[in-house]
Every structure is written in C-alpha cells, then in structure tokens.
Amino acid sequence: SIDADRQIMQDDSHYRVFDLSGNPFNTARTSFFHKSIGGYHAAKPGRMQELFEFYISQNHLEVLNMLNTKYFIIPTEEEGLVAQQNPDANGNAWFVNRVELVENADQEILALEEINTKQTAVVEQSFRTQLPGLAFPEDPSASIELTAYQPNHLTYRSSASATQLAVFSEIYYPQGWNAYIDGEKVPHIRVNYVLRGLVIPAGEHEIRFKFEPEVVRTGSSIALASSLILGLLLIGGIIWSYRKEVKTRE
C-alpha cells in the first residue's frame, strides 16, 4: 500500500483518491496521505452521504469524474494494493455547454445517473434567475485552471470568447464560501447536487473562492472591540495612578 501511495504522491497537482481496498467511508488511512473521496467525519455533509449511497458506493464513474477522482487504489492478488490513474477525471474546474433544469433536490440527484458531467450541469429551479440561459457556446480554446490552492482560499484563471458556466469540483457550502471575479464578489450556485457553479463572462479573469464565515468575522469584531476597551481601561488606569501620585507628592 505504501508503494501505491508513493506512486500517487509523485503527482503534485490537486486531485482526489478513491481507495477500493476496503470500505472507503469507514477508514482514515487514505486521508492521511491524500485528498480522499472517502473517510469518516461526524460533520460530513448530508448531501455527500446521499451521493455516496446513490452513486459512489456503486463506483459510478461519471460522479467520480466530477469529484476529480484522478487515482484509484485497487487491491490485487499479485501486487497487493496498486494505484490506477483515471484519465477521465474532470479536473479542478471545467466549462459545460448546457444546463439540465430540475424542480427539486430529488430530481437533481437522480439526474446524475445518466448525464455527461463534462458537458452538462444539473441545476435546481431555485437558481434559475442566476443563469443567463440554459445553453452556453462551445469554445475549444476556452480554459479554466486552478492556479493557487489553500484549504480556505482557491484561485483560478479563466479565458473564453463568450460567457460560460464553470463547474468547480468543490463542495457547495454557502454558509461561508464566497466567490469573486477580478476582486468583485459575485453569487455562485449549486450544481450537480453538491458542487459549485459560476457564470463567468467572456475574456480573461481571475476567480477566487474564499472561506469567510460570518461567525469568524463577528468573533474578530468582538475580539477587536474587547481589545480596544481593555486598552482604554489600562490607559485610564495608568493616567489615574499618575494623577494620584502627583497629588500625593503635592
């Protein structure tokens, strides 16, 4: 297994690994070495659990592709655990040509059964107003790539001759994640039941996703205010002590 892990870690790009040597959602071994599709966490989003039950547990390749599963760890009788690269992984982000609109979450997850995730994005009706249309022009020269990665700050560079809909292989979590195009905050949507989608205008742009939860901002403001109050109290105490000492000398 160590040989398989070493082989995968020679790839310094950003991707996910699906370990088929056991129950992928009941082990932490893979997550020790890689960004794993599986692994257990008590706070795992419910939608990811549902996606696992519907598709990942069935090794549904299109869903694994959209999760940017670039490597599989597979048990063999001859060599033990081996790493197998998936050439069809969608990557960190990609442009789609059409939107399949659905009415609710049930239809959204069921629609993933047969779509080509590289070409089509499934979007719930509630996000319709944020889309300029349901079809986007094919542009062979269009590109979007991840240029910088931090767990709480992702940066991409895009180029296209027309407005495009980009899908990002990152979990949609609006309670903290904000999207920016060229420094301007813009709304993003949920696509494919769990991922992020963003309408990007023609031209070259820098896209950033930042994790900025309101609770952290509020906590920082409270901490700053508390520090200022404490500072004022200390200054006041010093001034009072100084004046008292001066009066005593008089």
Side-chain angles (χ1 to χ4, degrees), residues 120-138:
T120 301
V122 182
V123 178
E124 193 174 328
Q125 179 69 42
S126 58
F127 293 103
R128 175 66 181 90
T129 56
Q130 296 184 38
L131 294 171
L134 301 181
F136 296 85
E138 291 190 27

Side-chain angles (χ1 to χ4, degrees), residues 45-56 109 193:
R47 282 179 177 259
M48 273 304 299
Q49 180 62 38
E50 291 159 0
L51 197 70
F52 171 75
E53 294 170 354
F54 271 76
Y55 298 114
I56 299 174
I109 193 170
Y193 199 67

Side-chain angles (χ1 to χ4, degrees), residues 181-206:
I181 297 179
D182 299 330
E184 181 179 350
K185 188 176 179 181
V186 293
H188 67 290
I189 64 175
R190 188 184 66 241
V191 303
N192 295 357
Y193 199 67
V194 294
L195 300 184
R196 304 173 194 173
L198 181 65
V199 175
I200 302 177
E204 295 187 357
H205 301 283
E206 181 185 70

Side-chain angles (χ1 to χ4, degrees), residues 155-168:
T155 305
Y156 304 80
R157 174 67 59 180
S158 75
S159 176
S161 60
T163 297
Q164 298 285 342
L165 175 62
V167 176
F168 299 84

